[in-house]
């Protein structure tokens, strides 16, 4: 199964706007979720005014919060799992 | 071809047991044309010796700043210094070495141990001539220092280290030469080698230092250059030109500071930018990698942090082992003899809000302050703005 790529922007603005809270939330995800995710950083996504930014797959989430990010990840992982069951 | 050499000078000293001050004094006088090193060992030890040697080196450095010739400097000191009535000895010894930027050296030695020269891991003795200046018999030498040559000047406390203790006759020239050869490859820079030699001396004295000891290490090299690119240019049409300019420097350490700048460089080079997977220090954003670039960091925060690290401590950042972007940047800048900063002046509107509230310096301010800090550390810094 392809892993879901989650990348947190670690540029100046996103760092100052609180990307650490998001990183901490991602690092403390249940192991079963972590196994399905490839976590990384980005140097700058160019949306400095609307940070912190996180990409999940191809989707860019601006003004991200841990809750917002976890909700999207959950949706994506559930969708993948449902597809698997149906398939 | 005339080439400007970097003359790296490191000095380390040790005071005689029970003494608060070292009776050896070293002065280094630098200007655009030359570096001059003056070593004086005051007779005896303690405050009296210290004052005498300071007297000699201060007279010398004062005159050298006025571009007076070495022999005139020596003559003035020889005429000024009193002679010990009891021992009929001059109150202090003196060695003066002037190294021009092209490598031409002029050395005058009076009563100090001989300067040692090393080339390609071997001792390369100098030709010296006896000469009388102001009634004193001195040794004089003219030679040329080449890249990677190593010169070692010491006071007699080094040569005599361990007399009657570890060695019957002391460390001697032979012991000193062997120590230099043992350690020279271990350190690229002059200071750690000078320090190491003094540690050897301390060890020879078995903790009972019989005399003031000073070692001066001089290394000549082709200047190490770092080129730091930070900030996109004010006009995006200049991206290409800026990156071309940046990459046109050869045999340099290439540094990029800034997320947007990193993306710009990677794009123009047709390379991928990979951001590290680790926050080494929670207050410094992670570094990144671009093939062909030696160090890629975030911009404003890393530059500010690097500046405050450099300001907060005189410690030698070349020996740090921390891996966050600011420490790595300190390390890279400390290793360089010349730093060329290519500074893009585009303003990121999203940053402006933070700058004031967090008391961060803007890119233009921080590079100016870095220049000041690095210049204090004897580095040549050039800033070009785009």
């Amino acid at each position: 199964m392809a892993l879901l790529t989650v990348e947190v922007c670690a540029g100046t603005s996103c760092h100052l706007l609180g990307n650490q809270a998001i990183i901490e939330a991602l690092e403390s995800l249940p192991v079963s979720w972590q196994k399905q995710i490839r976590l990384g950083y980005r140097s700058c996504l160019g949306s400095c005014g609307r940070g912190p930014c996180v990409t999940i797959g191809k989707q860019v989430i601006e003004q991200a919060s841990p809750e917002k990010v976890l909700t999207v990840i959950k949706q994506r992982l559930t969708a993948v799992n449902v597809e698997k069951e149906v398939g | 071809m005339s080439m400007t050499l970097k003359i790296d000078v490191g000095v380390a000293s040790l005071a005689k047991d029970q003494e608060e001050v070292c009776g050896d004094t070293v002065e280094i006088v630098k200007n655009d044309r030359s570096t001059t090193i003056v070593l004086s060992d005051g007779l005896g030890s303690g405050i009296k010796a210290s004052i005498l040697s300071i007297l000699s080196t201060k007279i010398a450095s004062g005159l050298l700043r006025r571009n007076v010739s070495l022999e005139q400097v020596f003559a003035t000191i020889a005429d000024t210094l009193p002679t010990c009535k009891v021992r009929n000895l001059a109150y202090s010894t003196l060695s003066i070495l002037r190294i021009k930027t092209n490598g031409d050296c002029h050395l005058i030695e009076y009563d100090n141990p001989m300067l040692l020269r090393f080339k390609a891991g071997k001792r390369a003795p100098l030709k010296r001539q006896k000469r009388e200046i102001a009634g004193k018999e001195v040794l004089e030498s003219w030679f040329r220092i080449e890249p990677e040559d190593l010169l070692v000047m010491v006071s007699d406390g080094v040569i005599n280290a361990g007399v009657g203790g570890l060695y019957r006759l002391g460390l001697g020239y032979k012991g000193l030469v062997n120590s230099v050869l043992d350690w020279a490859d271990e350190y690229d820079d002059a200071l750690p080698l000078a320090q190491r030699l003094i540690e050897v001396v301390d060890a020879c004295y078995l903790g009972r230092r019989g005399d003031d000891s000073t070692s001066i290490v001089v290394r000549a090299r082709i200047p190490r250059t770092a080129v730091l690119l930070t900030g996109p240019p004010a006009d995006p049409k200049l991206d290409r030109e800026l990156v071309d300019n940046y990459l046109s420097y050869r045999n340099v350490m290439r540094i990029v500071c800034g997320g947007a700048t990193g993306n710009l460089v990677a794009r123009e080079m047709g390379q991928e930018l990979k951001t590290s997977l680790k926050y080494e220090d929670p207050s410094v954003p992670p570094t990144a990698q671009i093939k062909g670039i030696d160090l890629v960091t975030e911009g404003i925060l890393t530059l500010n942090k690097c500046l405050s690290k450099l300001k907060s401590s005189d410690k030698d950042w070349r020996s740090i082992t921390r891996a966050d972007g600011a420490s790595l940047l300190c390390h890279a800048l400390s290793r360089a003899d010349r730093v060329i900063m290519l500074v893009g002046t585009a303003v990121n509107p999203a940053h402006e809000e933070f700058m004031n509230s967090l008391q961060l310096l803007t890119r233009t301010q921080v590079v100016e302050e870095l220049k000041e800090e690095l210049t204090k550390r004897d580095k040549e810094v050039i800033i070009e703005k785009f």
Side-chain angles (χ1 to χ4, degrees), chain B residues 63-82:
Chain B
L63 293 171
L64 288 164
R65 284 201 179 88
R66 291 174 187 80
N67 275 318
V68 174
S69 78
L70 245 51
E71 51 189 285
Q72 279 177 295
V73 171
F74 186 85
T76 309
I77 296 170
D79 283 341
T80 319
L81 276 181

Side-chain angles (χ1 to χ4, degrees), chain A residues 10 12-13 15 19-20 41 43-44, chain B residues 263 275-276 279 282 285 298 351:
Chain A
T12 314
S13 302
H15 174 91
N19 66 356
Q20 283 92 337
Y41 295 120
S43 289
C44 182
Chain B
N263 287 335
T275 308
S276 155
Y279 258 82
E298 176 272 346
H351 288 181

Side-chain angles (χ1 to χ4, degrees), chain A residues 5 7-11 40-46, chain B residues 229 243 246 255-277 285-299:
Chain A
T5 303
E7 291 181 320
V8 181
C9 179
Y41 295 120
R42 292 287 291 268
S43 289
C44 182
L45 291 166
Chain B
L229 174 63
V243 174
Y246 176 59
I255 307 170
V256 171
C257 298
T261 318
N263 287 335
L264 182 163
V265 170
R267 186 192 73 218
E268 294 295 331
M269 290 176 78
Q271 296 287 348
E272 203 185 332
L273 181 140
K274 287 185 197 148
T275 308
S276 155
L277 294 171
T287 55
Q289 286 188 319
I290 302 172
K291 199 177 167 201
I293 307 294
D294 300 289
L295 177 63
V296 184
T297 74
E298 176 272 346

Side-chain angles (χ1 to χ4, degrees), chain B residues 140-170:
Chain B
E140 186 176 41
S141 181
W142 299 85
F143 59 100
R144 174 170 270 219
I145 189 170
E146 316 257 356
E148 310 312 322
D149 281 4
L150 172 63
L151 307 179
V152 178
M153 285 166 93
V154 297
S155 65
D156 63 356
V158 171
I159 300 296
N160 298 329
V163 171
L166 190 61
Y167 302 115
R168 197 162 60 87
L169 296 170

